[in-house]
Amino acid sequence: MNSRAQQQTQNRALLAGVCSLIIAMGIGRFAYTPLLPAMQRAIGFGNEMAGLIASANYLGYLIGAIASTVIPAQMDKRGLLRICLVASVISTGAIAWSDASMTWLALRFASGIASAGVFVIAGTLVTQALQTTGQEARMGVHFAGVGTGIALSGLLLAQAGEHLGWRGGWMALALLSLVLLPLCWTVPKTPATKAQASPAVKAGTGAMSASTPSPRAALAFPMSLLILAYFCEGLGYIVSGTFLVAIIKTTPGLSAFGEYAWVAVGLAAAPSALAWSAVMKKTGPLKALIAAHLIQAAGIVLPVLSGSLAAALGAALSFGGTFVGITLLSFNLAARIAPAQSGRVIGLLTIAFGLGQILGPVAAGFIAGEGRGFDVPLLAAGAAVALGAALLLFGALKQGQTTIDTAEPC
C-alpha cells in the first residue's frame, strides 16, 4: 500500500473512530447529564433514583469493558462494532418512549454495555490502522470524539431543549446519532502489525510500543497505589459527570447556563488527550497524573466555594479538561510499570475505576436526597480525587522518584 493510500485509510479510520465515540460516549453515555434536570422536573423523581439510573449505565459499561477484553481474535470486530453502535442509538432513543424508572434502568444498563464495546473495539481498529505507518500519536484525534459528542449534545439542548422537552431531547440526540452512523462504517479492516496496547495507552504515545519499554521504565512503582488512585478517580469524577448540570441549574441565577456548562465540558475534553500527551512528554506520566488529579479535585469543589458563573465555568473546564487525560496517563503509567503484564494491569485498572463510578452516583444521590443539596457530595468527590493524587505522590516518594522514564514515552 502506497503512502497516499495509507493516509486515506488512516483518515477514514479516524473519521469512523471520532463519530463512533460521539455516538456511544459523548451522547450514549453522557447525554443523561444535561437531560437529567428536565427529566426530574417532568417526572418528579429525586436524586436517589437519578443516582441509581446513572449507576446502572456504569455497571453496564464495566461489564461491557470486561467482556470486550476477551473477544476472540478471529471474530469480525467491524461487525461487532456496528452492532454496538446500533444498540447505542436504539437505547438512546428508546428512553423517550417510557417514563418508567425500571425501563430507564434497563436501557441505561444496555447503553453502558454498548458504549464500552464501541470504546474498546473502535479504539483497537483505529490503533491498528495508525500502526501501519507508526502514527499512533494521532490517537489523540480519535479521543476527541468524546468531548465533541458532549459539546454537540450540550449545544443542541441549550438551543432547543426548552422546546423539545426531555422526550424530544433524547429523540433529537438519537436522530443526530443516526445521521452520524454511516460515517462509522468507514473504519477499515486492518491487521495488527505490532504488539497491542490499550487504545488509551496509545493516545499520544511515541514510536516505542508498550511491550518494548526503555530500561528506565522498569523502575518500580507500587501498582496497588495506582489502582487505588484510579478507583478514587472513578468514585470522584463521576459525581460531576452525573450531576454537574443539575447542580448548576439549581444554583440561583445560573439555571440558564446549565447546558452551556456541559458544552464547556465537551470543548475542554475534545483536545485534552493531545494536551496531556504533550505534558506527559515533558514531565513523565506520574507528575502529569498527579497534576491532573489536583486540577480536577479543585474544579469539583468550586461550586461549593462559590455560586458564581465563574465557578461554574471553572468546574466545567477543569472536569472536561482532565477526565480523559487521567485515563490516558493512568494506562500509560501502568504500561511502563509492568510492560510484560500491561493487559492484565489495565484490566484491573478498568475494574477498579468501574467500581468507583458505580458507587459514586448512588452515594451522591442518596446524600443529596430530600433537598439536602450537593455540597457534601461535591466535597467528598473532590476529597476522593485529591486522595488519589496523595496516593500517587506517596508511591513516588516511597520509591525515591517523581517520574518514570520522562525522556522516552512508551
Side-chain angles (χ1 to χ4, degrees):
M1 185 183 294
N2 60 43
S3 58
R4 184 174 180 179
Q6 287 177 328
Q7 185 69 38
Q8 291 175 341
T9 297
Q10 291 173 356
N11 290 340
R12 288 200 309 272
L14 284 171
L15 175 64
V18 167
C19 291
S20 295
L21 292 189
I22 290 173
I23 292 170
M25 298 293 291
I27 294 175
R29 189 177 181 203
F30 287 115
Y32 176 72
T33 301
L35 281 164
L36 175 59
M39 294 171 71
Q40 287 184 296
R41 286 196 305 271
I43 307 300
F45 63 94
N47 292 324
E48 298 94 335
M49 179 54 67
L52 287 172
I53 294 170
S55 290
N57 181 258
Y58 306 137
L59 175 61
Y61 188 86
L62 174 61
I63 292 172
I66 294 171
S68 297
T69 64
V70 294
I71 297 172
Q74 66 273 19
M75 182 172 286
D76 178 11
K77 292 183 176 62
R78 286 192 302 173
L80 190 55
L81 173 64
R82 291 168 180 176
I83 291 171
C84 290
L85 284 164
V86 171
S88 181
V89 175
I90 291 173
S91 60
T92 295
I95 293 182
W97 298 96
S98 174
D99 56 7
S101 58
M102 293 305 296
T103 302
W104 290 346
L105 286 166
L107 288 171
R108 294 305 291 159
F109 177 78
S111 176
I113 295 175
S115 62
V118 171
F119 183 80
V120 174
I121 299 168
T124 299
L125 292 173
V126 174
T127 297
Q128 290 175 357
L130 296 178
Q131 281 180 326
T132 58
T133 55
Q135 295 295 312
E136 295 97 324
R138 297 183 72 194
M139 277 299 289
V141 176
H142 169 71
F143 283 104
V146 179
T148 302
I150 290 173
L152 285 175
S153 62
L155 188 60
L156 187 153
L157 295 172
Q159 294 296 313
E162 290 295 324
H163 303 290
L164 293 171
W166 70 269
R167 294 184 193 274
W170 281 110
M171 292 178 66
L173 290 175
L175 180 60
L176 174 60
S177 298
L178 193 62
V179 170
L180 294 173
L181 197 59
L183 297 177
C184 303
W185 259 238
T186 64
V187 64
K189 184 178 182 180
T190 52
T193 57
K194 298 180 183 180
Q196 295 295 307
S198 161
V201 177
K202 291 294 184 182
T205 60
M208 186 179 293
S209 154
S211 61
T212 56
S214 70
R216 282 192 293 165
L219 290 171
F221 182 90
M223 183 63 72
S224 59
L225 293 180
L226 176 59
I227 293 172
L228 284 173
Y230 203 49
F231 168 80
C232 290
E233 164 64 9
L235 186 66
Y237 104 99
I238 203 60
V239 176
S240 285
T242 302
F243 296 109
L244 179 63
V245 175
I247 291 168
I248 293 173
K249 279 193 162 294
T250 56
T251 301
L254 298 183
S255 61
F257 297 99
E259 290 84 3
Y260 288 106
W262 199 239
V263 175
V265 168
L267 293 176
S272 63
L274 290 171
W276 284 109
S277 293
V279 173
M280 180 178 64
K281 288 178 181 179
K282 292 185 176 295
T283 68
L286 184 53
K287 283 183 178 178
L289 186 56
I290 292 171
H293 271 259
L294 293 175
I295 292 170
Q296 187 180 104
I300 288 173
V301 301
L302 271 176
V304 179
L305 303 177
S306 171
S308 67
L309 178 59
L313 184 60
L317 292 174
S318 62
F319 169 70
T322 55
F323 77 93
V324 176
I326 288 176
T327 294
L328 163 69
L329 296 167
S330 297
F331 283 13
N332 195 288
L333 181 57
R336 296 176 188 233
I337 296 167
Q341 296 180 304
S342 60
R344 176 176 176 271
V345 171
I346 288 169
L348 291 173
L349 285 171
T350 300
I351 292 170
F353 182 85
L355 291 174
Q357 70 174 5
I358 290 167
L359 295 173
V362 174
F366 276 92
I367 294 171
E370 299 181 3
R372 288 187 290 269
F374 283 95
D375 283 2
V376 173
L378 287 175
L379 289 171
V385 176
L387 176 60
L391 290 169
L392 293 168
L393 182 59
F394 175 75
L397 294 175
K398 187 175 180 180
Q399 293 300 316
Q401 62 185 81
T402 55
T403 187
I404 294 181
D405 191 20
T406 60
E408 299 178 66
C410 65

